[in-house]
Amino acid sequence: MKDNAMPAAGLALSEVFAQYAAGFDARRIPDEVRERARLLMLDSVGIAIASHGYDFSRRALAAIDELDGGGDSVVIGSSRRMDLRNAALANGILVHGLDYDDTHARGVIHATASALPTVLALAAREDRSGADMVAAYVLGMEVSTRLGAVAKGGFHQIGFHPTGLIGTFGCTLAAAWLLGLNVQQMVDAQGIALSLAAGSLEFLNDGAWNKRMHPGWAASAGITAATFGKHGYTGTRLAYEGRFGLYASHLGGADYDLGLATAELGERWELMRVSVKPLPACHFTHASVDAAARLHAQGISAEQVHRITVLVPQEVVKTVCEPESSKRKPANSYEAQFSIPYLVGTALCKGRLTLDDLEPDALRDPAVLALAEVTDYRHDPDSGFPKHYSGEVIVELKDGRVLREREAVNRGAEDRPLTESDIRAKYRDNVLRRMPAAQADVIEQSVLQMEQGSARALADQLGREA
């Protein structure tokens, strides 16, 4: 293992992060970071509202309602009010449930899906300002993305989902900052979080809904850990680098670099490297989907195709290419969102991938399924993973011609970002599926101007029926 010593003389990584968080000064966050933070939150609010139109959200909210003891915390896009932690769980499910939420490529983590529910619930309860809510969100994002990057993509290879596993620690420190914990309390809170953090990738084998819960559970767990720390409950000091700490217990001996957690901490803002998704599917598939759409634009039809080969980073094969049988014929929308054969087949047939292409009727499209059946994969020898999620589609036609399109840098990546207008257009496309334009306008302005008001006022605006 590389550089797995203490990050500073005599200090555990939990102590370094505790000192950083306890001294976190919202006034030192650059304007461009604040602006990007608000846009990322707007993107996730739009996804959460759109999620109300799907069965997974109805079932999740019904389950949480049964468990809920009552409270004043809001559920985005709903008139429901819940207990603090249950609202965070619900909002995490809504943000992440369509697999359309943002990604930090190096950390391989959907950090907003847990950070936003955490700070929305706590900042509103504590009656903090909108500016404080943004600051806590930025803090949580910095911690989660950096801790994810330490593993260098290794969590997925072992079967752990960083969004749930690592997101818990970022949420813990965001919550701790809002609750005013001191350094020692924050160290304890991170140690407690080690026993609460979770997230398995077993759902990939059958399209189960487990993953949708991961960020909301991370938010709930982070609030729990911070609150225990606040009351002096002792947590382990070596949460990250200990003999049974996070990386030793979850990476199976794979290489990791603790130095990535603190490199230029407070100077380089990882939030600016977070990618907004242009497509509603696993980020690992985007480059290949866009490449297939370009082939469609060249006039290629499904009837002409003999075989398709997709080049993908070796590190993503277990997620989007295996097991091959279910990837070629996904049983449900969630399985389809993690299927290179289905998604590439869709883009080659239709020249697009939208939420509509994940509906039950679309999953049975015979032309798409015929293409999925003749789609194989190979490791991409020129992959830039994890900075970029590259993809290349090679199509062999029945007349002997071979066509290929490559996407070396996936659209939306940190050095090919979506613009503000792109993000706002995506928000509107999602929200207008559930509410009239006038209501969408009010929410958009409330999120983008949140620093001029209170977190409680923003929460009240978001907590209205879609």
Side-chain angles (χ1 to χ4, degrees):
M1 281 166 282
K2 179 183 176 184
D3 193 19
N4 60 339
M6 295 294 186
L11 291 180
L13 182 54
S14 65
E15 292 169 329
V16 174
F17 272 133
Q19 290 180 0
Y20 172 67
F24 193 72
D25 187 346
R27 295 168 298 183
R28 296 186 63 185
I29 302 174
D31 289 343
E32 63 174 351
V33 176
R34 289 180 172 278
E35 180 181 3
R36 187 69 175 177
R38 295 191 299 270
L39 285 170
L40 293 177
M41 287 190 271
L42 178 70
D43 177 52
S44 286
V45 165
I47 299 164
I49 291 171
S51 289
H52 283 283
Y54 293 83
D55 192 41
F56 76 84
S57 67
R58 290 187 285 269
R59 293 180 182 275
L61 292 174
I64 297 170
D65 277 339
E66 183 172 327
L67 294 168
D68 190 59
D72 299 322
S73 295
V74 305
V75 176
I76 298 171
S78 170
S79 58
R80 285 177 169 88
R81 295 296 183 268
M82 292 181 171
D83 163 79
L84 179 77
R85 290 182 295 176
N86 281 329
L89 172 60
N91 286 325
I93 292 171
L94 292 170
V95 171
H96 191 55
L98 295 178
D99 223 86
Y100 208 0
D101 49 315
D102 62 45
T103 309
H104 182 268
R106 295 170 192 260
V108 201
I109 184 172
H110 304 282
T112 295
S114 60
L116 174 59
T118 300
V119 302
L120 176 63
L122 262 183
R125 190 193 72 176
E126 299 295 305
D127 200 16
R128 301 290 290 266
S129 68
D132 282 347
M133 179 176 159
V134 172
Y137 167 79
V138 171
L139 172 60
M141 294 290 285
E142 290 301 306
V143 173
S144 291
T145 54
R146 287 169 172 276
L147 289 173
V150 167
K152 298 189 288 189
F155 288 123
H156 281 78
Q157 305 310 307
I158 305 301
F160 292 107
H161 185 214
T163 296
L165 181 67
I166 299 298
T168 301
F169 296 93
C171 292
T172 295
L173 286 173
W177 187 82
L178 286 170
L179 292 172
L181 272 61
N182 63 33
V183 171
Q184 184 56 53
Q185 290 170 329
M186 289 185 178
V187 171
D188 286 332
Q190 290 170 86
I192 294 163
L194 177 62
S195 290
L196 305 179
S200 166
L201 291 177
E202 181 60 25
F203 76 93
L204 290 169
N205 287 321
D206 53 17
W209 292 357
N210 299 52
K211 179 175 178 285
R212 288 176 160 131
M213 290 183 65
H214 292 172
W217 196 258
S220 179
I223 292 169
T224 301
T227 305
F228 268 67
K230 174 184 176 182
H231 288 273
Y233 196 92
T234 301
T236 183
R237 173 173 171 264
L238 299 180
Y240 306 108
E241 63 273 69
R243 181 164 63 107
F244 301 119
L246 175 68
Y247 298 105
S249 61
H250 288 79
L251 285 177
D255 180 41
Y256 62 91
D257 185 353
L258 282 177
L260 295 175
T262 55
E264 300 180 83
L265 182 63
E267 299 173 15
R268 185 187 73 229
W269 298 88
E270 290 298 319
L271 183 142
M272 299 302 292
R273 293 178 164 182
V274 172
S275 304
V276 174
K277 280 188 177 182
L279 301 171
C282 175
H283 228 136
F284 294 161
T285 69
H286 286 203
S288 300
V289 171
D290 278 348
R294 289 202 300 273
L295 287 168
H296 170 88
Q298 296 174 29
I300 302 303
S301 66
E303 294 77 16
Q304 296 174 280
V305 175
H306 171 63
R307 181 158 298 282
I308 302 170
T309 302
V310 184
L311 304 186
V312 299
Q314 180 176 353
E315 296 87 347
V316 312
V317 166
K318 293 180 180 180
T319 306
V320 296
C321 298
E322 296 176 350
E324 292 184 29
S325 59
S326 60
K327 297 303 184 187
R328 286 186 171 140
K329 193 174 182 180
N332 53 55
S333 63
Y334 215 50
E335 206 162 54
Q337 288 174 298
F338 292 83
S339 166
I340 279 284
Y342 176 80
L343 298 171
V344 166
T346 297
L348 195 58
C349 271
K350 304 176 182 179
R352 65 162 201 255
L353 178 69
T354 70
L355 287 171
D356 296 332
D357 299 308
L358 300 168
E359 293 292 336
D361 287 346
L363 298 180
R364 294 189 292 268
D365 187 321
V368 172
L369 293 177
L371 290 180
E373 188 61 34
V374 296
T375 298
D376 293 311
Y377 70 88
R378 294 205 312 265
H379 297 159
D380 180 3
D382 300 314
S383 164
F385 187 90
K387 182 179 180 182
H388 303 128
Y389 302 153
S390 59
E392 183 170 341
V393 178
I394 305 167
V395 177
E396 301 173 44
L397 301 181
K398 292 175 182 176
D399 64 10
R401 288 182 295 154
V402 177
L403 303 177
R404 61 199 305 156
E405 282 287 341
R406 179 172 182 79
E407 189 95 342
V409 179
N410 55 292
R411 187 160 52 104
E414 63 179 85
D415 43 5
R416 194 187 168 193
L418 297 190
T419 65
E420 176 181 346
S421 61
D422 292 332
I423 296 169
R424 293 175 76 163
K426 176 187 169 184
Y427 160 80
R428 295 191 68 79
D429 180 68
N430 282 324
V431 172
L432 293 179
R433 293 170 178 267
R434 295 292 302 167
M435 63 175 51
Q439 188 179 358
D441 290 342
V442 170
I443 291 175
E444 182 175 3
Q445 292 307 309
S446 296
V447 174
L448 294 180
Q449 297 173 10
M450 69 172 70
E451 292 186 273
Q452 299 171 25
S454 72
R456 189 169 290 175
L458 175 64
D460 288 342
Q461 191 63 245
L462 297 179
R464 298 183 182 181
E465 202 70 32

